[in-house]
Amino acid sequence: MNKRLKKEYFRQPATVLAPDLIGKLLCRKVNGEILRYRITETECYYSEQDTACHASKGKTERTKVLYMQGGTAYVYLCYGMHSLFNVVTGEEGFPEAVLIRGVEEYNGPGKLTKAMGIDRSLNEIDMTVSDELWLEDDGIKPVYRTAKRVGIDYAEEKDRNILWRYIIDDGSYQPVK
DNA sequence: AGATTGATAAGG
DNA sequence: CTTATCAATCTT
């Protein structure tokens, strides 16, 4: 039986949740139909000291959602054409989030949001109570590997080299019965 | 390697 | 108001 991820779960640090979200189910209800996709790739963005994190330059109108409590959705329009979907984690007042970079059928953060109909109207949604967008755990624990984050050339070298990207090891889990 | 695309943030 | 920048993707 699938269990919906609740507030206590999202209160953990992004550094813990990023690997743990691998294999979880991203659920989206659109036009009365429920879509479920298994998360295959995430990245961790953590604190104002992380120069790759949007919040590193301080709190602004755009990044304030990163400071909200865990379980909030952060949807950001990048390069004018791609909606990127993040899960805000941790306690209120501390900026951290996990970027969902890929799901089973769609690789690439811009493609999965387009496929699931995720756009900026879902920004700041509380996924612990929303019936449009939420996360589920069906008990599968896939094996994953780590890598350096991508697309963050603007960050300082110390942050570019952190292994905060988590990718599923394909075929390492059993399909849902 | 280059074009695309528009919100966001910083500066005048 | 103007300008530069971007957690990407597609085509050449």
Side-chain angles (χ1 to χ4, degrees), chain A residues 148-174:
Chain A
K148 293 177 187 176
R149 292 179 290 181
V150 297
I152 53 166
D153 293 345
Y154 59 89
E156 291 177 12
E157 189 175 351
K158 71 172 173 63
D159 292 317
R160 277 186 282 143
N161 291 328
I162 302 176
L163 297 176
W164 269 351
R165 183 180 179 200
Y166 302 90
I167 310 165
I168 201 168
D169 197 349
D170 231 344
S172 63
Y173 62 90
Q174 297 298 313

Side-chain angles (χ1 to χ4, degrees), chain A residues 72-87:
Chain A
T72 307
Y74 172 39
V75 184
Y76 160 68
L77 188 64
C78 183
Y79 298 110
M81 42 185 113
H82 305 297
S83 295
L84 272 58
F85 170 62
N86 304 245
V87 179

Side-chain angles (χ1 to χ4, degrees), chain A residues 13-22 42-45 89 97-98 164 166:
Chain A
T15 47
V16 173
L17 285 184
D20 202 69
L21 282 170
I22 300 286
T42 64
E43 279 181 14
C44 169
Y45 290 87
T89 67
V98 177
W164 269 351
Y166 302 90

Side-chain angles (χ1 to χ4, degrees), chain A residues 54-55 57-68 73-76 120 123-124:
Chain A
H54 285 164
K57 296 191 181 81
K59 200 172 182 176
T60 66
E61 193 59 30
R62 183 177 89 190
T63 62
K64 67 178 184 188
V65 60
L66 292 169
Y67 294 77
M68 295 171 77
Y74 172 39
V75 184
Y76 160 68
R120 282 162 47 266
N123 196 29
E124 297 185 34

